[in-house]
Structures are given as structure tokens and as C-alpha cells.
Short mmCIF file of all heavy atoms in Angstrom, two decimals:
data_model
loop_
_atom_site.label_atom_id
_atom_site.label_comp_id
_atom_site.label_asym_id
_atom_site.label_seq_id
_atom_site.Cartn_x
_atom_site.Cartn_y
_atom_site.Cartn_z
N MET A 600 5.01 4.31 10.47
CA MET A 600 6.22 4.83 9.82
C MET A 600 6.08 6.29 9.62
O MET A 600 4.98 6.73 9.19
CB MET A 600 6.51 4.06 8.57
CG MET A 600 7.95 4.36 8.10
SD MET A 600 8.56 3.15 6.95
CE MET A 600 7.18 2.58 6.08
N ASP A 601 7.10 7.03 9.81
CA ASP A 601 6.94 8.55 9.70
C ASP A 601 7.15 8.90 8.19
O ASP A 601 7.49 8.16 7.33
CB ASP A 601 7.96 9.21 10.57
CG ASP A 601 9.43 8.87 10.28
OD1 ASP A 601 9.69 8.53 9.16
OD2 ASP A 601 10.25 8.91 11.21
N ARG A 602 6.79 10.21 8.01
CA ARG A 602 6.79 10.74 6.60
C ARG A 602 8.18 10.84 6.10
O ARG A 602 8.37 10.54 4.82
CB ARG A 602 6.16 12.13 6.65
CG ARG A 602 5.04 12.25 5.63
CD ARG A 602 4.41 13.63 5.71
NE ARG A 602 4.80 14.33 4.57
CZ ARG A 602 5.02 15.62 4.49
NH1 ARG A 602 4.89 16.33 5.58
NH2 ARG A 602 5.47 16.22 3.39
N LEU A 603 9.16 11.12 6.81
CA LEU A 603 10.52 11.20 6.39
C LEU A 603 11.04 9.88 5.84
O LEU A 603 11.66 9.77 4.78
CB LEU A 603 11.42 11.75 7.51
CG LEU A 603 12.93 11.91 7.12
CD1 LEU A 603 13.12 12.88 5.98
CD2 LEU A 603 13.77 12.25 8.30
N THR A 604 10.69 8.86 6.59
CA THR A 604 11.15 7.43 6.13
C THR A 604 10.42 7.08 4.81
O THR A 604 11.09 6.59 3.94
CB THR A 604 10.77 6.48 7.25
OG1 THR A 604 11.33 6.84 8.46
CG2 THR A 604 11.26 5.04 6.83
N THR A 605 9.18 7.45 4.73
CA THR A 605 8.43 7.19 3.50
C THR A 605 9.09 7.90 2.33
O THR A 605 9.23 7.34 1.27
CB THR A 605 6.96 7.55 3.71
OG1 THR A 605 6.43 6.85 4.79
CG2 THR A 605 6.13 7.21 2.44
N GLN A 606 9.36 9.21 2.51
CA GLN A 606 9.91 9.98 1.43
C GLN A 606 11.32 9.48 1.04
O GLN A 606 11.70 9.44 -0.12
CB GLN A 606 10.07 11.45 1.86
CG GLN A 606 8.72 12.16 1.89
CD GLN A 606 8.82 13.57 2.45
OE1 GLN A 606 9.68 13.87 3.22
NE2 GLN A 606 7.94 14.42 2.03
N THR A 607 12.05 9.09 2.04
CA THR A 607 13.40 8.48 1.82
C THR A 607 13.30 7.20 0.99
O THR A 607 14.05 7.04 -0.01
CB THR A 607 14.11 8.16 3.11
OG1 THR A 607 14.19 9.40 3.91
CG2 THR A 607 15.49 7.63 2.91
N LEU A 608 12.41 6.31 1.37
CA LEU A 608 12.23 5.07 0.59
C LEU A 608 11.76 5.37 -0.80
O LEU A 608 12.25 4.75 -1.77
CB LEU A 608 11.23 4.16 1.34
CG LEU A 608 11.71 3.54 2.64
CD1 LEU A 608 10.54 2.82 3.32
CD2 LEU A 608 12.93 2.64 2.41
N GLN A 609 10.86 6.27 -1.00
CA GLN A 609 10.38 6.65 -2.32
C GLN A 609 11.50 7.18 -3.21
O GLN A 609 11.45 6.99 -4.43
CB GLN A 609 9.25 7.67 -2.19
CG GLN A 609 7.91 7.13 -1.68
CD GLN A 609 6.89 8.17 -1.49
OE1 GLN A 609 7.19 9.32 -1.34
NE2 GLN A 609 5.61 7.75 -1.47
N GLY A 610 12.42 7.82 -2.59
CA GLY A 610 13.55 8.51 -3.38
C GLY A 610 14.66 7.59 -3.67
O GLY A 610 15.58 7.90 -4.47
N MET A 611 14.65 6.37 -3.18
CA MET A 611 15.80 5.43 -3.35
C MET A 611 15.60 4.70 -4.71
O MET A 611 14.50 4.40 -5.14
CB MET A 611 15.86 4.44 -2.23
CG MET A 611 16.27 5.03 -0.90
SD MET A 611 16.09 3.88 0.52
CE MET A 611 17.67 2.98 0.37
N SER A 612 16.76 4.32 -5.31
CA SER A 612 16.73 3.55 -6.51
C SER A 612 16.42 2.11 -6.18
O SER A 612 16.51 1.67 -5.03
CB SER A 612 18.08 3.59 -7.29
OG SER A 612 19.07 2.97 -6.52
N LEU A 613 16.06 1.30 -7.15
CA LEU A 613 15.78 -0.09 -6.96
C LEU A 613 16.91 -0.82 -6.33
O LEU A 613 16.73 -1.59 -5.31
CB LEU A 613 15.40 -0.76 -8.29
CG LEU A 613 15.00 -2.24 -8.25
CD1 LEU A 613 13.80 -2.43 -7.31
CD2 LEU A 613 14.68 -2.72 -9.62
N ASN A 614 18.15 -0.65 -6.85
CA ASN A 614 19.30 -1.30 -6.30
C ASN A 614 19.60 -0.85 -4.85
O ASN A 614 19.91 -1.70 -3.94
CB ASN A 614 20.58 -1.04 -7.10
CG ASN A 614 20.55 -1.89 -8.36
OD1 ASN A 614 19.87 -2.88 -8.45
ND2 ASN A 614 21.23 -1.42 -9.41
N ALA A 615 19.40 0.43 -4.57
CA ALA A 615 19.57 0.94 -3.14
C ALA A 615 18.57 0.31 -2.25
O ALA A 615 18.91 -0.06 -1.12
CB ALA A 615 19.48 2.46 -3.15
N LEU A 616 17.31 0.18 -2.73
CA LEU A 616 16.35 -0.43 -1.91
C LEU A 616 16.62 -1.89 -1.58
O LEU A 616 16.50 -2.36 -0.41
CB LEU A 616 14.98 -0.39 -2.55
CG LEU A 616 14.18 0.95 -2.49
CD1 LEU A 616 13.04 0.99 -3.46
CD2 LEU A 616 13.68 1.20 -1.07
N LYS A 617 17.09 -2.62 -2.57
CA LYS A 617 17.48 -3.98 -2.42
C LYS A 617 18.63 -4.17 -1.44
O LYS A 617 18.61 -5.00 -0.56
CB LYS A 617 17.83 -4.67 -3.74
CG LYS A 617 16.63 -4.93 -4.61
CD LYS A 617 17.03 -5.63 -5.91
CE LYS A 617 15.82 -5.92 -6.75
NZ LYS A 617 16.25 -6.53 -8.05
N ASP A 618 19.63 -3.30 -1.53
CA ASP A 618 20.76 -3.31 -0.64
C ASP A 618 20.31 -3.02 0.80
O ASP A 618 20.78 -3.62 1.76
CB ASP A 618 21.84 -2.33 -1.07
CG ASP A 618 22.56 -2.76 -2.33
OD1 ASP A 618 22.46 -3.95 -2.71
OD2 ASP A 618 23.23 -1.92 -2.94
N HIS A 619 19.45 -1.99 0.92
CA HIS A 619 18.99 -1.63 2.22
C HIS A 619 18.17 -2.80 2.91
O HIS A 619 18.35 -3.08 4.00
CB HIS A 619 18.08 -0.34 2.08
CG HIS A 619 17.49 0.15 3.39
ND1 HIS A 619 18.31 0.51 4.42
CD2 HIS A 619 16.23 0.30 3.77
CE1 HIS A 619 17.52 0.90 5.46
NE2 HIS A 619 16.29 0.78 5.06
N TYR A 620 17.28 -3.35 2.07
CA TYR A 620 16.50 -4.50 2.58
C TYR A 620 17.44 -5.60 3.10
O TYR A 620 17.23 -6.14 4.15
CB TYR A 620 15.62 -5.00 1.45
CG TYR A 620 14.72 -6.18 1.86
CD1 TYR A 620 13.46 -5.95 2.35
CD2 TYR A 620 15.16 -7.50 1.76
CE1 TYR A 620 12.66 -7.03 2.74
CE2 TYR A 620 14.38 -8.53 2.13
CZ TYR A 620 13.10 -8.32 2.66
OH TYR A 620 12.34 -9.34 3.08
N LYS A 621 18.45 -5.96 2.28
CA LYS A 621 19.37 -7.05 2.68
C LYS A 621 20.11 -6.68 3.97
O LYS A 621 20.21 -7.55 4.84
CB LYS A 621 20.39 -7.25 1.52
CG LYS A 621 21.35 -8.44 1.81
CD LYS A 621 22.19 -8.84 0.67
CE LYS A 621 23.19 -9.83 0.91
NZ LYS A 621 23.17 -10.59 2.11
N LYS A 622 20.54 -5.46 4.11
CA LYS A 622 21.24 -5.07 5.34
C LYS A 622 20.31 -5.18 6.55
O LYS A 622 20.73 -5.78 7.60
CB LYS A 622 21.81 -3.65 5.20
CG LYS A 622 22.54 -3.24 6.45
CD LYS A 622 23.05 -1.77 6.39
CE LYS A 622 23.81 -1.30 7.56
NZ LYS A 622 23.48 -1.91 8.86
N VAL A 623 19.13 -4.63 6.46
CA VAL A 623 18.15 -4.66 7.57
C VAL A 623 17.81 -6.10 7.84
O VAL A 623 17.80 -6.50 9.03
CB VAL A 623 16.94 -3.84 7.29
CG1 VAL A 623 15.88 -4.01 8.37
CG2 VAL A 623 17.28 -2.38 7.11
N TYR A 624 17.62 -6.90 6.82
CA TYR A 624 17.23 -8.33 7.02
C TYR A 624 18.33 -9.11 7.66
O TYR A 624 18.13 -9.91 8.59
CB TYR A 624 16.88 -8.97 5.66
CG TYR A 624 16.40 -10.38 5.79
CD1 TYR A 624 15.11 -10.64 6.20
CD2 TYR A 624 17.26 -11.41 5.46
CE1 TYR A 624 14.68 -11.99 6.26
CE2 TYR A 624 16.82 -12.75 5.56
CZ TYR A 624 15.53 -13.03 6.00
OH TYR A 624 15.10 -14.31 6.14
N ASP A 625 19.57 -8.89 7.24
CA ASP A 625 20.73 -9.60 7.84
C ASP A 625 20.93 -9.23 9.30
O ASP A 625 21.12 -10.06 10.16
CB ASP A 625 22.05 -9.24 7.10
CG ASP A 625 22.08 -9.88 5.70
OD1 ASP A 625 21.26 -10.82 5.44
OD2 ASP A 625 22.99 -9.48 4.90
N ASP A 626 20.72 -7.93 9.63
CA ASP A 626 20.82 -7.49 11.03
C ASP A 626 19.65 -8.15 11.85
O ASP A 626 19.78 -8.54 12.98
CB ASP A 626 20.70 -5.94 11.15
CG ASP A 626 21.97 -5.27 10.60
OD1 ASP A 626 22.94 -5.97 10.44
OD2 ASP A 626 21.90 -4.06 10.39
N PHE A 627 18.51 -8.22 11.18
CA PHE A 627 17.30 -8.76 11.84
C PHE A 627 17.59 -10.25 12.19
O PHE A 627 17.17 -10.71 13.24
CB PHE A 627 16.15 -8.61 10.90
CG PHE A 627 14.84 -9.24 11.38
CD1 PHE A 627 14.13 -8.68 12.45
CD2 PHE A 627 14.29 -10.26 10.73
CE1 PHE A 627 12.95 -9.17 12.89
CE2 PHE A 627 13.06 -10.83 11.18
CZ PHE A 627 12.39 -10.26 12.28
N GLN A 628 18.22 -10.98 11.27
CA GLN A 628 18.50 -12.35 11.50
C GLN A 628 19.48 -12.61 12.61
O GLN A 628 19.44 -13.67 13.30
CB GLN A 628 19.06 -13.02 10.17
CG GLN A 628 18.05 -13.15 9.05
CD GLN A 628 16.89 -14.09 9.37
OE1 GLN A 628 16.83 -14.68 10.41
NE2 GLN A 628 16.03 -14.26 8.41
N LYS A 629 20.35 -11.69 12.82
CA LYS A 629 21.40 -11.79 13.81
C LYS A 629 20.89 -11.58 15.24
O LYS A 629 21.42 -12.02 16.21
CB LYS A 629 22.54 -10.76 13.61
CG LYS A 629 23.41 -11.17 12.39
CD LYS A 629 24.44 -10.06 12.09
CE LYS A 629 25.06 -10.19 10.79
NZ LYS A 629 25.83 -9.02 10.35
N THR A 630 19.77 -10.90 15.40
CA THR A 630 19.21 -10.60 16.71
C THR A 630 18.39 -11.78 17.21
O THR A 630 17.73 -12.44 16.38
CB THR A 630 18.33 -9.34 16.71
OG1 THR A 630 17.27 -9.53 15.81
CG2 THR A 630 19.11 -8.08 16.35
N SER A 631 18.42 -12.04 18.43
CA SER A 631 17.71 -13.15 18.97
C SER A 631 16.21 -12.81 19.13
O SER A 631 15.40 -13.77 19.03
CB SER A 631 18.31 -13.59 20.35
OG SER A 631 18.28 -12.48 21.19
N SER A 632 15.89 -11.56 19.33
CA SER A 632 14.49 -11.18 19.42
C SER A 632 13.92 -10.84 18.08
O SER A 632 14.56 -10.22 17.30
CB SER A 632 14.35 -10.03 20.38
OG SER A 632 14.95 -8.91 19.85
N ARG A 633 12.78 -11.32 17.80
CA ARG A 633 12.12 -11.04 16.51
C ARG A 633 11.19 -9.83 16.73
O ARG A 633 10.10 -9.95 17.21
CB ARG A 633 11.29 -12.27 16.10
CG ARG A 633 12.16 -13.43 15.67
CD ARG A 633 12.90 -13.10 14.36
NE ARG A 633 13.71 -14.23 13.91
CZ ARG A 633 15.04 -14.21 13.94
NH1 ARG A 633 15.63 -13.18 14.45
NH2 ARG A 633 15.71 -15.23 13.49
N ASP A 634 11.74 -8.67 16.35
CA ASP A 634 11.06 -7.41 16.56
C ASP A 634 9.96 -7.18 15.47
O ASP A 634 10.25 -7.22 14.30
CB ASP A 634 12.09 -6.26 16.49
CG ASP A 634 11.47 -4.88 16.76
OD1 ASP A 634 10.31 -4.82 17.12
OD2 ASP A 634 12.20 -3.91 16.55
N SER A 635 8.73 -7.11 15.92
CA SER A 635 7.60 -6.96 15.01
C SER A 635 7.71 -5.68 14.15
O SER A 635 7.30 -5.61 13.02
CB SER A 635 6.31 -7.08 15.66
OG SER A 635 6.13 -6.08 16.58
N ARG A 636 8.27 -4.60 14.76
CA ARG A 636 8.36 -3.31 14.09
C ARG A 636 9.40 -3.48 12.87
O ARG A 636 9.15 -2.91 11.81
CB ARG A 636 8.86 -2.23 14.99
CG ARG A 636 7.77 -1.74 15.90
CD ARG A 636 8.22 -0.71 16.91
NE ARG A 636 8.90 0.43 16.26
CZ ARG A 636 9.81 1.21 16.79
NH1 ARG A 636 10.21 0.97 18.03
NH2 ARG A 636 10.35 2.20 16.18
N THR A 637 10.50 -4.18 13.14
CA THR A 637 11.48 -4.46 12.04
C THR A 637 10.83 -5.29 10.97
O THR A 637 11.06 -5.03 9.78
CB THR A 637 12.70 -5.14 12.60
OG1 THR A 637 13.24 -4.35 13.72
CG2 THR A 637 13.74 -5.30 11.56
N MET A 638 10.03 -6.31 11.40
CA MET A 638 9.41 -7.12 10.39
C MET A 638 8.43 -6.34 9.48
O MET A 638 8.45 -6.49 8.28
CB MET A 638 8.66 -8.22 11.12
CG MET A 638 8.23 -9.41 10.22
SD MET A 638 9.61 -10.28 9.57
CE MET A 638 9.03 -10.70 7.99
N SER A 639 7.65 -5.47 10.09
CA SER A 639 6.72 -4.69 9.31
C SER A 639 7.47 -3.67 8.44
O SER A 639 7.08 -3.38 7.28
CB SER A 639 5.69 -3.96 10.20
OG SER A 639 6.31 -2.97 10.96
N TYR A 640 8.63 -3.16 8.91
CA TYR A 640 9.47 -2.25 8.13
C TYR A 640 10.02 -3.03 6.86
O TYR A 640 9.98 -2.47 5.79
CB TYR A 640 10.58 -1.67 8.98
CG TYR A 640 11.51 -0.79 8.19
CD1 TYR A 640 11.11 0.45 7.76
CD2 TYR A 640 12.83 -1.20 7.89
CE1 TYR A 640 11.92 1.26 7.01
CE2 TYR A 640 13.64 -0.38 7.16
CZ TYR A 640 13.19 0.86 6.70
OH TYR A 640 14.04 1.72 5.98
N LEU A 641 10.46 -4.23 7.08
CA LEU A 641 10.91 -5.04 6.01
C LEU A 641 9.84 -5.25 4.95
O LEU A 641 10.13 -5.18 3.70
CB LEU A 641 11.47 -6.39 6.44
CG LEU A 641 12.85 -6.36 7.14
CD1 LEU A 641 13.16 -7.67 7.84
CD2 LEU A 641 13.95 -6.04 6.16
N LEU A 642 8.67 -5.53 5.40
CA LEU A 642 7.53 -5.69 4.48
C LEU A 642 7.24 -4.41 3.68
O LEU A 642 6.97 -4.45 2.50
CB LEU A 642 6.29 -6.11 5.22
CG LEU A 642 6.32 -7.55 5.78
CD1 LEU A 642 5.15 -7.82 6.72
CD2 LEU A 642 6.33 -8.61 4.65
N THR A 643 7.42 -3.26 4.36
CA THR A 643 7.23 -1.96 3.68
C THR A 643 8.29 -1.79 2.62
O THR A 643 8.00 -1.41 1.46
CB THR A 643 7.23 -0.87 4.70
OG1 THR A 643 6.25 -1.07 5.69
CG2 THR A 643 6.99 0.51 4.02
N VAL A 644 9.52 -2.00 3.00
CA VAL A 644 10.62 -1.84 2.00
C VAL A 644 10.42 -2.85 0.84
O VAL A 644 10.62 -2.47 -0.38
CB VAL A 644 12.04 -2.13 2.65
CG1 VAL A 644 13.08 -2.09 1.60
CG2 VAL A 644 12.26 -1.09 3.75
N ASP A 645 9.96 -4.01 1.11
CA ASP A 645 9.69 -4.97 0.05
C ASP A 645 8.63 -4.49 -0.89
O ASP A 645 8.74 -4.63 -2.13
CB ASP A 645 9.28 -6.33 0.68
CG ASP A 645 9.06 -7.43 -0.39
OD1 ASP A 645 10.02 -7.66 -1.13
OD2 ASP A 645 8.00 -7.97 -0.49
N SER A 646 7.57 -3.85 -0.34
CA SER A 646 6.50 -3.35 -1.21
C SER A 646 7.04 -2.17 -2.09
O SER A 646 6.65 -2.11 -3.24
CB SER A 646 5.33 -2.94 -0.40
OG SER A 646 5.58 -1.81 0.38
N TYR A 647 7.93 -1.35 -1.59
CA TYR A 647 8.56 -0.33 -2.38
C TYR A 647 9.40 -0.97 -3.51
O TYR A 647 9.47 -0.44 -4.61
CB TYR A 647 9.41 0.61 -1.55
CG TYR A 647 8.60 1.70 -0.89
CD1 TYR A 647 8.22 1.63 0.46
CD2 TYR A 647 8.19 2.84 -1.64
CE1 TYR A 647 7.45 2.64 1.04
CE2 TYR A 647 7.38 3.84 -1.05
CZ TYR A 647 7.06 3.74 0.28
OH TYR A 647 6.30 4.76 0.85
N ILE A 648 10.09 -2.00 -3.19
CA ILE A 648 10.90 -2.71 -4.18
C ILE A 648 10.01 -3.22 -5.35
O ILE A 648 10.28 -3.01 -6.53
CB ILE A 648 11.70 -3.92 -3.56
CG1 ILE A 648 12.81 -3.30 -2.67
CG2 ILE A 648 12.30 -4.80 -4.67
CD1 ILE A 648 13.58 -4.44 -1.89
N GLN A 649 8.93 -3.82 -4.97
CA GLN A 649 7.99 -4.30 -5.97
C GLN A 649 7.38 -3.16 -6.80
O GLN A 649 7.25 -3.28 -8.05
CB GLN A 649 6.85 -5.16 -5.34
CG GLN A 649 7.37 -6.44 -4.72
CD GLN A 649 6.26 -7.18 -4.03
OE1 GLN A 649 5.07 -7.00 -4.27
NE2 GLN A 649 6.59 -8.06 -3.07
N LEU A 650 7.08 -2.08 -6.14
CA LEU A 650 6.58 -0.92 -6.85
C LEU A 650 7.55 -0.41 -7.86
O LEU A 650 7.25 -0.09 -9.04
CB LEU A 650 6.23 0.15 -5.82
CG LEU A 650 5.21 1.23 -6.18
CD1 LEU A 650 3.83 0.59 -6.30
CD2 LEU A 650 5.26 2.40 -5.24
N LYS A 651 8.85 -0.28 -7.47
CA LYS A 651 9.87 0.23 -8.36
C LYS A 651 10.09 -0.72 -9.52
O LYS A 651 10.30 -0.29 -10.69
CB LYS A 651 11.24 0.35 -7.65
CG LYS A 651 11.24 1.51 -6.61
CD LYS A 651 11.74 2.80 -7.28
CE LYS A 651 11.91 3.88 -6.28
NZ LYS A 651 12.02 5.14 -6.87
N GLN A 652 10.04 -2.03 -9.27
CA GLN A 652 10.19 -3.03 -10.35
C GLN A 652 9.05 -2.86 -11.35
O GLN A 652 9.29 -2.93 -12.60
CB GLN A 652 10.23 -4.46 -9.81
CG GLN A 652 11.54 -4.79 -9.14
CD GLN A 652 11.56 -6.12 -8.45
OE1 GLN A 652 10.55 -6.58 -8.01
NE2 GLN A 652 12.76 -6.74 -8.40
N GLN A 653 7.88 -2.66 -10.87
CA GLN A 653 6.73 -2.49 -11.85
C GLN A 653 6.90 -1.16 -12.60
O GLN A 653 6.61 -1.13 -13.83
CB GLN A 653 5.42 -2.40 -11.01
CG GLN A 653 4.94 -3.77 -10.47
CD GLN A 653 3.71 -3.62 -9.64
OE1 GLN A 653 3.29 -2.55 -9.28
NE2 GLN A 653 3.12 -4.78 -9.34
N GLU A 654 7.39 -0.16 -12.00
CA GLU A 654 7.55 1.16 -12.68
C GLU A 654 8.62 0.98 -13.72
O GLU A 654 8.46 1.53 -14.87
CB GLU A 654 8.00 2.28 -11.76
CG GLU A 654 7.00 2.81 -10.83
CD GLU A 654 7.49 3.73 -9.80
OE1 GLU A 654 8.76 4.06 -9.83
OE2 GLU A 654 6.67 4.23 -8.95
N GLU A 655 9.65 0.23 -13.50
CA GLU A 655 10.78 0.06 -14.47
C GLU A 655 10.34 -0.86 -15.73
O GLU A 655 10.90 -0.70 -16.78
CB GLU A 655 11.99 -0.43 -13.83
CG GLU A 655 12.65 0.60 -12.92
CD GLU A 655 14.03 0.15 -12.39
OE1 GLU A 655 14.48 -0.96 -12.75
OE2 GLU A 655 14.61 0.91 -11.58
N THR A 656 9.42 -1.72 -15.41
CA THR A 656 8.95 -2.64 -16.49
C THR A 656 7.92 -1.99 -17.41
O THR A 656 7.70 -2.35 -18.53
CB THR A 656 8.44 -3.97 -15.96
OG1 THR A 656 7.40 -3.75 -15.06
CG2 THR A 656 9.54 -4.81 -15.34
N ASN A 657 7.26 -0.90 -16.88
CA ASN A 657 6.23 -0.24 -17.67
C ASN A 657 6.87 0.87 -18.52
O ASN A 657 7.89 1.32 -18.39
CB ASN A 657 5.15 0.40 -16.76
CG ASN A 657 4.32 -0.69 -16.15
OD1 ASN A 657 4.32 -1.83 -16.59
ND2 ASN A 657 3.63 -0.37 -15.11
#
């Protein structure tokens, strides 16, 4: 993943990250091919969501 994507994800709020994850996931489910790049991207977004949730609880 490139630096711009990483910076963009870091700058997003928790709700924005969740909405983004849902949109990408829904699109991913609609495609017949299971793209491994999309799957790893979803895992990355999920890790940012978990990170933001930990930050907000601390």
C-alpha cells in the first residue's frame, strides 16, 4: 500500500473508516472474483479501525 493511502486512512475518523470498510466490503462481495489485494486492503482498514477504537477508549 502506498504512503498516500496510509496517510488518508490515518486521517479518517472512526465512523468514516467504518463506512469506508463497509462500502469496500459490499463491493468486494458483489464481485465474482475474490481479489487478494482487496482482501488485504480490508484487513488493513480493519486494523486502523481497531487502532482508532483503542485510542478513543484510552
Side-chain angles (χ1 to χ4, degrees):
M600 193 162 31
D601 60 27
R602 235 178 106 215
L603 180 61
T604 305
T605 303
Q606 288 176 331
T607 303
L608 290 173
Q609 286 174 339
M611 293 172 82
S612 70
L613 181 58
N614 285 337
L616 280 167
K617 286 180 178 179
D618 290 345
H619 180 59
Y620 181 92
K621 182 170 175 15
K622 182 185 180 325
V623 175
Y624 183 78
D625 289 346
D626 291 345
F627 178 69
Q628 292 292 4
K629 289 176 193 166
T630 60
S631 56
S632 64
R633 292 290 181 251
D634 182 10
S635 61
R636 284 177 56 206
T637 306
M638 194 66 216
S639 68
Y640 179 70
L641 284 168
L642 290 170
T643 303
V644 175
D645 184 58
S646 65
Y647 276 100
I648 289 172
Q649 292 177 22
L650 203 69
K651 288 272 186 193
Q652 285 175 329
Q653 286 176 348
E654 286 175 3
E655 289 188 3
T656 56
N657 290 344

